[in-house]
Amino acid sequence: MTLTALSVASEAFPLVKTGGLADVVGALPAALVPHGVATTTLLPGYPALAAASKGAKVVHHWPDLLGTSARLLAAEIAGHPLLILDAPTLFARGGGIYGDAGGNDWPDNWHRFAALARTAADLASGAVAKQHFDILHAHDWQAAMAPAYLRYAPGPGIPARSVVTIHNMAFQGWFDAGVFPELGLPPGAFALDGVEYYGGVGFLKAGLEAADAITTVSPTYADEIRRAAFGMGLEGLIATREARVHGIVNGIDRGVWNPQTDPALPASYTAGTLRRRLTNKRAVETMFDLDRGDGPIFTVISRLTGQKGMDVLVEVLDDLVAIGGRLALLGSGDAGLEAAFQAAAARHPGRIGVRIGYDEPLSHLLQGGADAILIPSRFEPCGLTQLYGLAYGCVPVVARTGGLADTVIDANDAAIAAGVATGIHHDGVTRDTLIRAIRRTVALYDRPEIWRRMQKNGMRADVGWTASGMRYADLYRSLMEAR
Ligand code: ADP
Ligand code: GLC
């Protein structure tokens, strides 16, 4: 029997993306098809969706959706059904999807994402004609109020079973208690086991309390968030709901990330034609004004933030160059870090090249041309850039945490002897651990047989969605059976 799922999120590749969340929300529907799950995605009607909504059918109209008028449009995303919440007062504005051009969060984010969640709950409990869903799958805090609406204020039909996926505990959607009366919830919802959180309203917390199942994007992160250092205040809730918590590792979309077919690469290649990567390496040198050379090029493709350990990385760049490395960095984020990386590039012309900004094709070129990708995250729920690195023969050098620990096999002596290594781990994110990891990487690069083997192992590793698509489908089915 086919199951129907409504996936609700604030971003989805290829329509709107600021990070890995979009990649996962964009790829999961196709991964569920072979397991008999038909997914519809619900997204906010940002300006970025204007092209997708052109000619779309209006399937519903709310004269008053939490105080604003809104329409629901039916369109498509990558061949799968898409519903767009067209509410211009909330979503039709310039700037970013979460805040203004200066990086300040929109002050009405509570309203924007409560409306998204209310819509999802309407769809998942029979309040919208002709729409029926077995499963409501909410991603991150922006969608997490949906199960809370199902719990406290459902529509007239049978409510769907609900799943909340935590992509990042660091973003919880906390708002002042003053917003509570505007949410359209009964007074009893403002409770310790409801939506109340530290005296205000916690969107993620509310979702985790209400959901039938909680998932996060790797088994190690599922374990880590039971502890204060990673749970960020929600560790107690996670511990008490432990039986409902599942760690399901992300996959990558092989249609988008495949070095054999990638249009962003000057030279395509496979594990059997790795020499062809040299053409891409030369292109990276040109794009980043790096000296030509045979030594390793490290890359970074990242948000420039503390989570990603970028403040420590920037401190070891002189060492990286002294050890014989070069660096091509693509990223944006914290203004101080952007300036610090640019200063390092100015200190080391020809050795460090920095591109501040967001550039999807360039991120593909870096994976296909650089030798190793540095990911020194303090915490990493899953991480996708190490998976792209594996698939592209760009060896990941990662902090041993979360999904990084789960997906990269460290080149210790035993793993090298067994021929199974795919990358380099370091424990903790300090100057010393990073310098040591960079040294180890350069030493391994200088042993071409081992290095090639690592590249090939990574390229042959199973980092697609097949296994995890099945795990999500199994979870959905188990929730239906438990009804
Ligand atoms: P997070 O979602 O925490 O930022 P992930 O590793 O899960 O980390 O996903 C990041 C995604 O964003 C990847 O697809 C990565 O390639 C992409 N990305 C990050 N920074 C940039 C950038 N500056 N330009 C292009 N793509 C980027
Ligand atoms: C978040 C996490 C990242 C994860 C992504 C997709 O942005 O920071 O680790 O890969 O979500 O699940």
Side-chain angles (χ1 to χ4, degrees):
M1 191 196 73
T2 300
L3 284 188
T4 52
L6 178 68
S7 167
V8 192
S10 54
E11 42 186 283
F13 184 85
L15 296 178
V16 56
K17 166 171 169 179
T18 72
L21 168 66
D23 290 351
V24 173
V25 175
L28 193 51
L32 289 167
V33 170
H35 308 290
V37 179
T39 306
T40 296
T41 303
L42 171 67
L43 292 175
Y46 312 115
L49 272 67
S53 41
K54 232 192 197 130
K57 216 173 97 200
V58 180
V59 292
H60 195 70
H61 175 234
W62 289 266
D64 180 4
L65 177 70
L66 304 187
T68 188
S69 114
R71 301 184 308 165
L72 192 66
L73 312 178
E76 270 197 8
I77 177 166
H80 299 270
L82 170 70
L83 293 170
I84 300 171
L85 178 59
D86 177 35
T89 53
L90 301 177
F91 301 117
R93 55 181 78 164
I97 59 176
Y98 305 124
D100 63 22
N104 308 299
D105 285 353
W106 295 117
D108 60 346
N109 271 347
W110 67 270
H111 192 194
R112 301 169 77 226
F113 295 112
L116 178 71
R118 178 67 263 180
T119 301
D122 278 4
L123 285 161
S125 59
V128 178
K130 295 190 191 140
Q131 300 284 334
H132 167 82
F133 296 97
D134 300 312
I135 299 290
L136 168 66
H137 190 160
H139 297 270
D140 270 354
W141 75 264
Q142 295 90 347
M145 282 296 279
Y149 280 115
L150 274 192
R151 174 182 177 192
Y152 290 109
I158 300 174
R161 304 287 280 163
S162 59
V163 180
V164 169
T165 295
I166 304 163
H167 294 266
N168 197 334
M169 265 306 200
F171 303 105
Q172 300 187 351
W174 185 92
F175 301 100
D176 189 85
V179 310
F180 179 74
E182 314 297 323
L183 294 175
L185 287 165
F190 195 77
L192 219 58
D193 69 346
V195 308
E196 190 274 338
Y197 190 46
Y198 289 118
V201 177
F203 277 29
L204 181 61
K205 185 263 185 176
L208 298 179
E209 288 282 3
D212 296 309
I214 297 169
T215 73
T216 187
V217 286
S218 70
T220 293
Y221 195 61
D223 187 46
E224 288 172 339
I225 56 177
R226 297 182 310 158
R227 299 196 295 276
F230 296 91
M232 303 190 173
L234 289 169
E235 60 278 1
L237 189 164
I238 293 294
T240 56
R241 308 209 76 204
E242 194 170 358
R244 291 172 196 239
V245 179
H246 309 262
I248 305 179
V249 73
N250 289 334
I252 70 171
D253 186 337
R254 296 278 195 183
V256 179
W257 292 94
N258 180 348
Q260 203 173 355
T261 54
D262 193 328
L265 300 183
S268 56
Y269 60 94
T270 64
T273 57
L274 273 167
R275 281 179 195 293
R276 290 172 55 80
R277 287 182 100 256
L278 188 59
T279 307
N280 302 329
K281 185 166 177 172
R282 295 287 170 251
V284 168
E285 287 168 347
T286 306
M287 296 290 285
F288 285 81
D289 286 327
L290 297 178
D291 297 338
R292 272 196 168 208
D294 295 332
I297 297 182
F298 290 88
T299 188
V300 169
I301 305 160
S302 184
R303 295 188 280 121
L304 303 181
T305 65
Q307 176 195 339
K308 303 292 182 181
M310 290 295 130
D311 49 323
V312 183
L313 180 65
V314 83
E315 295 292 321
V316 306
L317 293 183
D318 296 348
D319 303 88
L320 182 145
V321 170
I323 295 166
R326 287 169 292 162
L327 173 72
L329 175 141
L330 168 63
S332 62
D334 186 278
L337 286 172
E338 290 181 355
F341 279 109
Q342 279 169 322
R347 275 200 313 277
H348 298 287
R351 308 297 296 176
I352 296 181
V354 168
R355 188 68 68 88
I356 299 300
Y358 193 93
D359 187 330
E360 195 78 22
L362 189 55
S363 74
H364 286 241
L365 174 65
L366 286 165
Q367 296 280 13
D371 298 292
I373 180 162
L374 293 166
I375 314 175
S377 306
R378 290 194 167 82
F379 65 94
E380 196 61 78
C382 181
L384 290 171
T385 57
Q386 84 280 14
L387 301 181
Y388 301 142
L390 291 172
Y392 277 60
C394 183
V395 173
V397 182
V398 304
R400 197 194 307 270
T401 184
L404 300 173
D406 290 340
T407 56
V408 176
I409 301 172
D410 179 51
N412 54 49
D413 290 345
I416 291 176
V420 297
T422 60
I424 287 97
H425 283 189
H426 52 90
D427 274 312
V429 184
T430 63
R431 267 188 60 100
D432 279 359
T433 56
L434 257 179
I435 291 172
R436 253 185 287 144
I438 291 167
R439 261 212 194 96
R440 272 179 73 205
T441 307
V442 174
L444 287 164
Y445 180 85
D446 287 338
R447 297 168 71 188
E449 255 172 52
I450 293 179
W451 189 260
R452 279 265 184 272
R453 184 70 193 256
M454 283 170 64
Q455 288 181 298
K456 287 183 183 180
N457 289 343
M459 293 183 75
R460 288 173 184 148
D462 179 13
V463 291
W465 267 108
T466 310
S468 294
M470 185 153 83
R471 291 209 53 202
Y472 277 110
D474 286 348
L475 174 64
Y476 292 174
R477 285 225 151 69
S478 71
L479 293 178
M480 294 306 288
E481 280 157 18
R483 193 196 275 281

